[in-house]
Amino acid sequence: MATWRRDSRVTAVQRLGCAALAGALSLSLTAPLELLTVLAQVGTWHCRRGLRRAGPSLCRAEGLRALWKGNLTACLRLFPYSSLQLAASRRLVILFTDELGHISHWRAIMAGSLAGMVATIVTYPTDVIKTRLIVQNRLEPSYEGIVHAFYKIYHQEGLLALYRGVSPAILGAVPFSAGSFFVYINLDKIWQEPIVHFTPLQNFINGCVAAAVAQTLSFPFETVKRKMQAQSPWLPHCGAVDVYFTGMADCFRQTVKNKGVLGLWSGLTPSLLKIVPYFGVMFSTFEFCKRVCLYRNGYIESPLNYKLTPGVDQSLQPRELRELKRLRRENFEPRKSALEN
């Protein structure tokens, strides 16, 4: 069993801001690996000579900035995605939590997966736009930006085109949840100690391993999703997709027929290589942003260390602490004025 805990000394808005900033920085630093993953999944010409040559080939053809194609869309998607996921997750966790305030790992993972599915469905058009911006030629673009891509896809291909590939995205959540659950139920056996005694480093390693296993299991669905997002008769070479298909099931079939079973895992290597730096930057950035918030809220003396502010009740929420400080000021000021008179 695991207890659902969140630091009440940080407000929901501050926590969301920390997560958005940490996510944006992580995405930006690992954007080239994400780009290589998408290009390999779609099967563009850049990857036909191997992933090691795909990056240099793309840079020669479109310039160094091409390695960050679609990254702005991914970063802008973070705030609405995180907001929806956080809101849905909190509701689901409350629903899955027992009367003692505990929640099992399986239920916690299920709550996170369902919340992620809700956020994915609502913000899915931005993911389609990101894929289209990645696969297009930056020097001869079909879309001039995020808004233009949304407008053009909607008017040329219809509303459903903005949700092309959403089915494998939803179905992929099942093996992703199963992989995460498989790792977490065996953590105490791997480390040979109770989960409640894990250090921050152990939790970081656990997160990376769980993400790697879950991503590997769900990757075929991710590959099919990217191919479906990229394919369009309105784009040059039909979106540069390496196989042609009529739907999700046909995409699976054509990929296996033309590329083999392993073709469903094309791009897995850069995707796995991205996990450690992504989570490392995200966790460290989130922790530092959280310390800045704790310092601004008055709980610690400096964001550079974790020394608690003397005389401050750490169990108080930020609003309660501000109210207490206000009452103390009001009680102190009259006494000061009386002494001066």
Side-chain angles (χ1 to χ4, degrees):
M1 301 289 285
T3 305
W4 174 260
R5 296 175 181 173
R6 61 186 181 92
D7 199 332
S8 61
R9 299 173 299 171
V10 180
T11 66
V13 174
Q14 288 176 332
R15 188 164 52 251
L16 190 60
C18 291
L21 182 61
L25 186 58
S26 302
L27 284 173
S28 299
L29 290 176
T30 58
L33 289 171
E34 172 67 10
L35 177 131
L36 291 178
T37 300
V38 173
L39 293 181
Q41 289 174 321
V42 173
T44 62
W45 65 270
H46 310 89
C47 302
R48 290 173 187 171
R49 298 174 63 188
L51 284 172
R52 292 176 59 184
R53 299 181 180 180
S57 177
L58 180 66
C59 289
R60 284 194 299 269
E62 303 179 37
L64 186 63
R65 288 177 57 187
L67 294 175
W68 279 266
K69 288 192 297 183
N71 183 60
L72 179 60
T73 309
C75 291
L76 291 177
R77 180 174 179 253
L78 273 176
F79 189 79
Y81 183 91
S82 301
S83 301
L84 289 166
Q85 188 179 34
L86 179 63
S89 181
R90 289 178 65 180
R91 293 286 183 183
L92 290 166
V93 164
I94 292 172
L95 182 65
F96 292 160
T97 301
D98 61 23
E99 60 277 3
L100 298 177
H102 295 85
I103 182 171
S104 66
H105 282 300
W106 170 242
R107 289 188 174 185
I109 292 171
M110 280 298 299
S113 298
L114 290 173
M117 288 170 62
V118 171
T120 296
I121 292 171
V122 176
T123 62
Y124 192 79
T126 59
D127 197 34
V128 174
I129 291 171
K130 169 192 163 185
T131 301
R132 294 288 183 91
L133 293 176
I134 285 177
V135 299
Q136 73 172 1
N137 189 323
R138 192 178 69 87
L139 302 181
E140 299 175 1
S142 300
Y143 309 110
E144 297 175 2
I146 300 170
V147 177
H148 182 251
F150 181 88
Y151 176 85
K152 197 170 180 180
I153 294 171
Y154 176 76
H155 282 274
Q156 286 184 338
E157 305 173 49
L159 179 63
L160 292 179
L162 292 167
Y163 284 90
R164 192 174 292 155
V166 71
S167 298
I170 295 173
L171 292 174
V174 176
F176 191 92
S177 300
S180 300
F181 180 61
F182 174 78
V183 172
Y184 278 107
I185 62 174
N186 290 287
L187 288 177
D188 52 348
K189 299 176 183 177
I190 296 172
W191 294 106
Q192 297 182 348
E193 63 177 311
I195 294 176
V196 293
H197 296 157
F198 287 170
T199 65
L201 178 60
Q202 285 176 310
N203 286 326
F204 172 73
I205 295 173
N206 296 338
C208 291
V209 172
V213 172
Q215 199 159 324
T216 301
L217 293 175
S218 63
F219 205 77
F221 294 93
E222 181 77 9
T223 299
V224 170
K225 180 191 79 172
R226 294 298 181 192
K227 291 182 187 297
M228 294 179 71
Q229 288 177 337
Q231 188 184 59
S232 170
W234 297 92
L235 295 176
H237 309 293
C238 207
V241 183
D242 56 355
V243 294
Y244 299 96
F245 48 88
T246 57
M248 181 184 70
D250 190 43
C251 185
F252 273 105
R253 186 164 49 250
Q254 295 299 332
T255 301
V256 173
K257 179 181 177 181
N258 291 277
K259 310 285 289 185
V261 175
L262 292 181
L264 294 170
W265 278 270
S266 294
L268 179 63
T269 300
S271 182
L272 294 180
L273 290 175
K274 185 186 74 174
I275 289 176
V276 173
Y278 179 85
F279 279 105
V281 173
M282 184 174 65
F283 286 152
S284 58
T285 304
F286 182 85
E287 180 63 25
F288 180 75
C289 291
K290 177 184 169 184
R291 289 190 180 191
V292 171
C293 293
L294 290 175
Y295 170 70
R296 289 180 59 85
N297 293 346
Y299 292 100
I300 60 176
E301 293 186 342
S302 170
L304 301 179
N305 57 54
Y306 205 75
K307 188 176 182 180
L308 303 179
T309 303
V312 173
D313 187 352
Q314 300 291 322
S315 65
L316 294 177
Q317 295 185 1
R319 186 180 62 180
E320 296 172 332
L321 185 58
R322 287 195 300 269
E323 185 67 18
L324 180 61
K325 288 181 178 179
R326 186 182 65 80
L327 291 174
R328 285 177 177 175
R329 275 198 309 270
E330 290 177 353
N331 292 333
F332 176 74
E333 287 175 358
R335 293 176 186 174
K336 183 178 180 181
S337 300
L339 288 173
E340 289 176 350
N341 292 334

